[in-house]
PDB file of all heavy atoms in Angstrom:
ATOM      1  N   GLY B 281      -4.945  30.029 -30.160  1.00  0.00           N
ATOM      2  CA  GLY B 281      -4.865  28.949 -29.185  1.00  0.00           C
ATOM      3  C   GLY B 281      -4.209  29.472 -27.946  1.00  0.00           C
ATOM      4  O   GLY B 281      -3.627  30.553 -27.942  1.00  0.00           O
ATOM      5  N   ASP B 282      -4.298  28.703 -26.885  1.00  0.00           N
ATOM      6  CA  ASP B 282      -3.911  29.208 -25.587  1.00  0.00           C
ATOM      7  C   ASP B 282      -3.596  27.995 -24.718  1.00  0.00           C
ATOM      8  O   ASP B 282      -4.375  27.046 -24.684  1.00  0.00           O
ATOM      9  CB  ASP B 282      -5.117  29.996 -25.044  1.00  0.00           C
ATOM     10  CG  ASP B 282      -4.955  30.417 -23.610  1.00  0.00           C
ATOM     11  OD1 ASP B 282      -3.822  30.354 -23.110  1.00  0.00           O
ATOM     12  OD2 ASP B 282      -5.955  30.794 -22.994  1.00  0.00           O
ATOM     13  N   PRO B 283      -2.437  28.011 -24.057  1.00  0.00           N
ATOM     14  CA  PRO B 283      -2.089  26.842 -23.244  1.00  0.00           C
ATOM     15  C   PRO B 283      -3.052  26.604 -22.084  1.00  0.00           C
ATOM     16  O   PRO B 283      -3.036  25.527 -21.499  1.00  0.00           O
ATOM     17  CB  PRO B 283      -0.677  27.171 -22.739  1.00  0.00           C
ATOM     18  CG  PRO B 283      -0.508  28.625 -22.940  1.00  0.00           C
ATOM     19  CD  PRO B 283      -1.366  28.996 -24.094  1.00  0.00           C
ATOM     20  N   THR B 284      -3.887  27.571 -21.741  1.00  0.00           N
ATOM     21  CA  THR B 284      -4.812  27.328 -20.633  1.00  0.00           C
ATOM     22  C   THR B 284      -6.194  26.896 -21.133  1.00  0.00           C
ATOM     23  O   THR B 284      -7.127  26.770 -20.352  1.00  0.00           O
ATOM     24  CB  THR B 284      -4.991  28.587 -19.755  1.00  0.00           C
ATOM     25  OG1 THR B 284      -5.664  29.571 -20.527  1.00  0.00           O
ATOM     26  CG2 THR B 284      -3.676  29.145 -19.281  1.00  0.00           C
ATOM     27  N   ALA B 285      -6.311  26.662 -22.459  1.00  0.00           N
ATOM     28  CA  ALA B 285      -7.637  26.359 -23.017  1.00  0.00           C
ATOM     29  C   ALA B 285      -8.227  25.085 -22.455  1.00  0.00           C
ATOM     30  O   ALA B 285      -9.440  24.946 -22.356  1.00  0.00           O
ATOM     31  CB  ALA B 285      -7.553  26.260 -24.536  1.00  0.00           C
ATOM     32  N   GLN B 286      -7.368  24.124 -22.103  1.00  0.00           N
ATOM     33  CA  GLN B 286      -7.906  22.840 -21.651  1.00  0.00           C
ATOM     34  C   GLN B 286      -8.252  22.818 -20.170  1.00  0.00           C
ATOM     35  O   GLN B 286      -8.774  21.840 -19.670  1.00  0.00           O
ATOM     36  CB  GLN B 286      -6.911  21.721 -21.963  1.00  0.00           C
ATOM     37  CG  GLN B 286      -6.908  21.362 -23.436  1.00  0.00           C
ATOM     38  CD  GLN B 286      -6.133  20.111 -23.716  1.00  0.00           C
ATOM     39  OE1 GLN B 286      -5.172  19.794 -23.023  1.00  0.00           O
ATOM     40  NE2 GLN B 286      -6.538  19.359 -24.722  1.00  0.00           N
ATOM     41  N   LEU B 287      -7.924  23.896 -19.479  1.00  0.00           N
ATOM     42  CA  LEU B 287      -8.228  23.905 -18.050  1.00  0.00           C
ATOM     43  C   LEU B 287      -9.732  24.056 -17.844  1.00  0.00           C
ATOM     44  O   LEU B 287     -10.424  24.636 -18.673  1.00  0.00           O
ATOM     45  CB  LEU B 287      -7.503  25.068 -17.377  1.00  0.00           C
ATOM     46  CG  LEU B 287      -5.988  25.039 -17.488  1.00  0.00           C
ATOM     47  CD1 LEU B 287      -5.388  26.167 -16.679  1.00  0.00           C
ATOM     48  CD2 LEU B 287      -5.433  23.721 -17.010  1.00  0.00           C
ATOM     49  N   PRO B 288     -10.240  23.551 -16.731  1.00  0.00           N
ATOM     50  CA  PRO B 288     -11.673  23.704 -16.480  1.00  0.00           C
ATOM     51  C   PRO B 288     -12.046  25.177 -16.380  1.00  0.00           C
ATOM     52  O   PRO B 288     -11.231  26.011 -15.984  1.00  0.00           O
ATOM     53  CB  PRO B 288     -11.889  23.010 -15.132  1.00  0.00           C
ATOM     54  CG  PRO B 288     -10.620  22.410 -14.729  1.00  0.00           C
ATOM     55  CD  PRO B 288      -9.552  22.804 -15.675  1.00  0.00           C
ATOM     56  N   LEU B 289     -13.293  25.487 -16.727  1.00  0.00           N
ATOM     57  CA  LEU B 289     -13.724  26.877 -16.738  1.00  0.00           C
ATOM     58  C   LEU B 289     -13.815  27.458 -15.333  1.00  0.00           C
ATOM     59  O   LEU B 289     -13.995  28.656 -15.167  1.00  0.00           O
ATOM     60  CB  LEU B 289     -15.087  26.991 -17.424  1.00  0.00           C
ATOM     61  CG  LEU B 289     -15.074  26.608 -18.892  1.00  0.00           C
ATOM     62  CD1 LEU B 289     -16.457  26.721 -19.488  1.00  0.00           C
ATOM     63  CD2 LEU B 289     -14.111  27.481 -19.653  1.00  0.00           C
ATOM     64  N   THR B 290     -13.700  26.592 -14.322  1.00  0.00           N
ATOM     65  CA  THR B 290     -13.765  27.087 -12.952  1.00  0.00           C
ATOM     66  C   THR B 290     -12.539  27.914 -12.603  1.00  0.00           C
ATOM     67  O   THR B 290     -12.540  28.623 -11.600  1.00  0.00           O
ATOM     68  CB  THR B 290     -13.881  25.923 -11.961  1.00  0.00           C
ATOM     69  OG1 THR B 290     -12.905  24.947 -12.305  1.00  0.00           O
ATOM     70  CG2 THR B 290     -15.249  25.299 -12.013  1.00  0.00           C
ATOM     71  N   ILE B 291     -11.474  27.790 -13.411  1.00  0.00           N
ATOM     72  CA  ILE B 291     -10.280  28.585 -13.125  1.00  0.00           C
ATOM     73  C   ILE B 291     -10.472  29.973 -13.717  1.00  0.00           C
ATOM     74  O   ILE B 291     -10.669  30.119 -14.914  1.00  0.00           O
ATOM     75  CB  ILE B 291      -9.034  27.890 -13.694  1.00  0.00           C
ATOM     76  CG1 ILE B 291      -8.822  26.608 -12.907  1.00  0.00           C
ATOM     77  CG2 ILE B 291      -7.817  28.791 -13.627  1.00  0.00           C
ATOM     78  CD1 ILE B 291      -7.668  25.789 -13.347  1.00  0.00           C
ATOM     79  N   PRO B 292     -10.421  31.013 -12.879  1.00  0.00           N
ATOM     80  CA  PRO B 292     -10.784  32.362 -13.346  1.00  0.00           C
ATOM     81  C   PRO B 292      -9.733  32.955 -14.279  1.00  0.00           C
ATOM     82  O   PRO B 292      -8.578  32.533 -14.285  1.00  0.00           O
ATOM     83  CB  PRO B 292     -10.890  33.169 -12.049  1.00  0.00           C
ATOM     84  CG  PRO B 292     -10.137  32.405 -11.041  1.00  0.00           C
ATOM     85  CD  PRO B 292     -10.151  30.971 -11.441  1.00  0.00           C
ATOM     86  N   PRO B 293     -10.161  33.956 -15.063  1.00  0.00           N
ATOM     87  CA  PRO B 293      -9.278  34.571 -16.068  1.00  0.00           C
ATOM     88  C   PRO B 293      -7.994  35.164 -15.495  1.00  0.00           C
ATOM     89  O   PRO B 293      -6.957  35.049 -16.137  1.00  0.00           O
ATOM     90  CB  PRO B 293     -10.142  35.674 -16.682  1.00  0.00           C
ATOM     91  CG  PRO B 293     -11.520  35.491 -16.195  1.00  0.00           C
ATOM     92  CD  PRO B 293     -11.536  34.476 -15.132  1.00  0.00           C
ATOM     93  N   GLU B 294      -8.056  35.751 -14.279  1.00  0.00           N
ATOM     94  CA  GLU B 294      -6.832  36.360 -13.737  1.00  0.00           C
ATOM     95  C   GLU B 294      -5.769  35.289 -13.520  1.00  0.00           C
ATOM     96  O   GLU B 294      -4.585  35.491 -13.791  1.00  0.00           O
ATOM     97  CB  GLU B 294      -7.095  37.042 -12.396  1.00  0.00           C
ATOM     98  CG  GLU B 294      -8.312  37.946 -12.305  1.00  0.00           C
ATOM     99  CD  GLU B 294      -9.574  37.167 -12.018  1.00  0.00           C
ATOM    100  OE1 GLU B 294      -9.766  36.646 -10.909  1.00  0.00           O
ATOM    101  OE2 GLU B 294     -10.385  37.074 -12.970  1.00  0.00           O
ATOM    102  N   VAL B 295      -6.224  34.118 -13.019  1.00  0.00           N
ATOM    103  CA  VAL B 295      -5.277  33.043 -12.763  1.00  0.00           C
ATOM    104  C   VAL B 295      -4.694  32.552 -14.077  1.00  0.00           C
ATOM    105  O   VAL B 295      -3.491  32.276 -14.190  1.00  0.00           O
ATOM    106  CB  VAL B 295      -5.981  31.896 -12.012  1.00  0.00           C
ATOM    107  CG1 VAL B 295      -5.032  30.734 -11.806  1.00  0.00           C
ATOM    108  CG2 VAL B 295      -6.516  32.387 -10.689  1.00  0.00           C
ATOM    109  N   ARG B 296      -5.537  32.492 -15.110  1.00  0.00           N
ATOM    110  CA  ARG B 296      -5.042  32.070 -16.410  1.00  0.00           C
ATOM    111  C   ARG B 296      -3.951  33.014 -16.902  1.00  0.00           C
ATOM    112  O   ARG B 296      -2.937  32.595 -17.457  1.00  0.00           O
ATOM    113  CB  ARG B 296      -6.178  32.058 -17.423  1.00  0.00           C
ATOM    114  CG  ARG B 296      -7.109  30.891 -17.229  1.00  0.00           C
ATOM    115  CD  ARG B 296      -8.372  31.060 -18.030  1.00  0.00           C
ATOM    116  NE  ARG B 296      -9.363  30.127 -17.551  1.00  0.00           N
ATOM    117  CZ  ARG B 296      -9.575  28.928 -18.100  1.00  0.00           C
ATOM    118  NH1 ARG B 296      -8.905  28.562 -19.156  1.00  0.00           N
ATOM    119  NH2 ARG B 296     -10.464  28.113 -17.590  1.00  0.00           N
ATOM    120  N   GLU B 297      -4.165  34.302 -16.682  1.00  0.00           N
ATOM    121  CA  GLU B 297      -3.177  35.284 -17.126  1.00  0.00           C
ATOM    122  C   GLU B 297      -1.855  35.054 -16.399  1.00  0.00           C
ATOM    123  O   GLU B 297      -0.784  35.099 -17.000  1.00  0.00           O
ATOM    124  CB  GLU B 297      -3.726  36.685 -16.836  1.00  0.00           C
ATOM    125  CG  GLU B 297      -2.951  37.807 -17.477  1.00  0.00           C
ATOM    126  CD  GLU B 297      -2.710  37.603 -18.969  1.00  0.00           C
ATOM    127  OE1 GLU B 297      -3.649  37.201 -19.675  1.00  0.00           O
ATOM    128  OE2 GLU B 297      -1.570  37.822 -19.421  1.00  0.00           O
ATOM    129  N   GLN B 298      -1.954  34.752 -15.095  1.00  0.00           N
ATOM    130  CA  GLN B 298      -0.723  34.474 -14.331  1.00  0.00           C
ATOM    131  C   GLN B 298      -0.014  33.239 -14.858  1.00  0.00           C
ATOM    132  O   GLN B 298       1.202  33.193 -14.938  1.00  0.00           O
ATOM    133  CB  GLN B 298      -1.081  34.235 -12.867  1.00  0.00           C
ATOM    134  CG  GLN B 298      -1.091  35.500 -12.051  1.00  0.00           C
ATOM    135  CD  GLN B 298      -1.447  35.223 -10.604  1.00  0.00           C
ATOM    136  OE1 GLN B 298      -1.457  34.072 -10.176  1.00  0.00           O
ATOM    137  NE2 GLN B 298      -1.741  36.262  -9.860  1.00  0.00           N
ATOM    138  N   ILE B 299      -0.812  32.205 -15.214  1.00  0.00           N
ATOM    139  CA  ILE B 299      -0.207  30.981 -15.744  1.00  0.00           C
ATOM    140  C   ILE B 299       0.542  31.311 -17.032  1.00  0.00           C
ATOM    141  O   ILE B 299       1.680  30.910 -17.234  1.00  0.00           O
ATOM    142  CB  ILE B 299      -1.294  29.917 -15.992  1.00  0.00           C
ATOM    143  CG1 ILE B 299      -1.917  29.494 -14.664  1.00  0.00           C
ATOM    144  CG2 ILE B 299      -0.709  28.728 -16.706  1.00  0.00           C
ATOM    145  CD1 ILE B 299      -3.065  28.533 -14.810  1.00  0.00           C
ATOM    146  N   ARG B 300      -0.110  32.102 -17.895  1.00  0.00           N
ATOM    147  CA  ARG B 300       0.542  32.459 -19.159  1.00  0.00           C
ATOM    148  C   ARG B 300       1.854  33.177 -18.900  1.00  0.00           C
ATOM    149  O   ARG B 300       2.864  32.927 -19.549  1.00  0.00           O
ATOM    150  CB  ARG B 300      -0.384  33.344 -19.996  1.00  0.00           C
ATOM    151  CG  ARG B 300      -1.397  32.533 -20.739  1.00  0.00           C
ATOM    152  CD  ARG B 300      -2.295  33.415 -21.598  1.00  0.00           C
ATOM    153  NE  ARG B 300      -3.637  32.880 -21.539  1.00  0.00           N
ATOM    154  CZ  ARG B 300      -4.696  33.509 -21.086  1.00  0.00           C
ATOM    155  NH1 ARG B 300      -4.582  34.748 -20.676  1.00  0.00           N
ATOM    156  NH2 ARG B 300      -5.858  32.925 -21.058  1.00  0.00           N
ATOM    157  N   GLN B 301       1.842  34.085 -17.912  1.00  0.00           N
ATOM    158  CA  GLN B 301       3.072  34.823 -17.610  1.00  0.00           C
ATOM    159  C   GLN B 301       4.154  33.880 -17.122  1.00  0.00           C
ATOM    160  O   GLN B 301       5.310  33.985 -17.511  1.00  0.00           O
ATOM    161  CB  GLN B 301       2.802  35.874 -16.544  1.00  0.00           C
ATOM    162  CG  GLN B 301       2.355  37.184 -17.165  1.00  0.00           C
ATOM    163  CD  GLN B 301       1.866  38.144 -16.120  1.00  0.00           C
ATOM    164  OE1 GLN B 301       2.241  38.046 -14.951  1.00  0.00           O
ATOM    165  NE2 GLN B 301       1.031  39.075 -16.522  1.00  0.00           N
ATOM    166  N   SER B 302       3.749  32.908 -16.274  1.00  0.00           N
ATOM    167  CA  SER B 302       4.759  31.999 -15.737  1.00  0.00           C
ATOM    168  C   SER B 302       5.324  31.107 -16.840  1.00  0.00           C
ATOM    169  O   SER B 302       6.394  30.534 -16.704  1.00  0.00           O
ATOM    170  CB  SER B 302       4.167  31.145 -14.617  1.00  0.00           C
ATOM    171  OG  SER B 302       3.358  30.128 -15.153  1.00  0.00           O
ATOM    172  N   LEU B 303       4.606  30.986 -17.974  1.00  0.00           N
ATOM    173  CA  LEU B 303       5.130  30.207 -19.087  1.00  0.00           C
ATOM    174  C   LEU B 303       6.033  31.055 -19.981  1.00  0.00           C
ATOM    175  O   LEU B 303       6.584  30.562 -20.949  1.00  0.00           O
ATOM    176  CB  LEU B 303       3.966  29.658 -19.935  1.00  0.00           C
ATOM    177  CG  LEU B 303       3.037  28.668 -19.247  1.00  0.00           C
ATOM    178  CD1 LEU B 303       1.859  28.342 -20.140  1.00  0.00           C
ATOM    179  CD2 LEU B 303       3.768  27.401 -18.880  1.00  0.00           C
ATOM    180  N   GLY B 304       6.154  32.336 -19.672  1.00  0.00           N
ATOM    181  CA  GLY B 304       7.012  33.204 -20.465  1.00  0.00           C
ATOM    182  C   GLY B 304       6.326  33.749 -21.698  1.00  0.00           C
ATOM    183  O   GLY B 304       6.969  34.234 -22.616  1.00  0.00           O
ATOM    184  N   LEU B 305       5.013  33.648 -21.758  1.00  0.00           N
ATOM    185  CA  LEU B 305       4.305  34.069 -22.963  1.00  0.00           C
ATOM    186  C   LEU B 305       4.273  35.574 -23.129  1.00  0.00           C
ATOM    187  O   LEU B 305       3.942  36.075 -24.196  1.00  0.00           O
ATOM    188  CB  LEU B 305       2.867  33.549 -22.914  1.00  0.00           C
ATOM    189  CG  LEU B 305       2.566  32.377 -23.816  1.00  0.00           C
ATOM    190  CD1 LEU B 305       1.161  31.897 -23.611  1.00  0.00           C
ATOM    191  CD2 LEU B 305       2.790  32.761 -25.258  1.00  0.00           C
TER     192      LEU B 305
END
Side-chain angles (χ1 to χ4, degrees):
Chain B
D282 171 15
T284 67
Q286 285 190 329
L287 300 185
L289 296 179
T290 47
I291 293 179
E294 313 84 71
V295 177
R296 285 168 195 265
E297 191 51 44
Q298 271 180 13
I299 295 176
R300 279 181 218 119
Q301 271 170 24
S302 76
L303 296 173
L305 255 176

